[in-house]
Amino acid sequence: MVKVTLIKSSIGQIDSVKATLSALGLRKIRQFAILEENPANMGQIRKVSHLVKVEKVEGE
């Protein structure tokens, strides 16, 4: 599991980056989402890595 926190605004970003943030469930700065660590999610996180902070979280 990974905790993804939005740390920079998506203003000025291209539409695909904004759509990726929305798909990750991130809308506001300092909002976070806890996601499974699978190839699909990791690819999305890599695409928006300049806007988010990623931390490992112990899963249930």
Side-chain angles (χ1 to χ4, degrees):
M1 304 285 268
V2 291
K3 178 180 176 183
V4 184
T5 306
L6 185 61
I7 57 170
K8 289 190 177 178
S9 174
S10 63
I11 294 174
Q13 300 296 318
I14 60 176
D15 290 338
S16 64
V17 169
K18 291 179 183 180
T20 301
L21 288 173
S22 177
L24 289 172
L26 302 173
R27 290 176 285 143
K28 297 180 179 181
I29 294 177
R30 290 187 297 277
Q31 184 177 15
F32 66 90
I34 297 178
L35 305 167
E36 292 289 330
E37 194 172 350
N38 59 37
N41 286 339
M42 296 312 289
Q44 289 178 328
I45 291 168
R46 194 173 301 114
K47 181 171 184 170
V48 296
S49 63
H50 58 289
L51 301 175
V52 299
K53 177 174 74 170
V54 182
E55 304 170 62
K56 283 271 200 185
V57 176
E58 291 299 319
E60 295 177 358

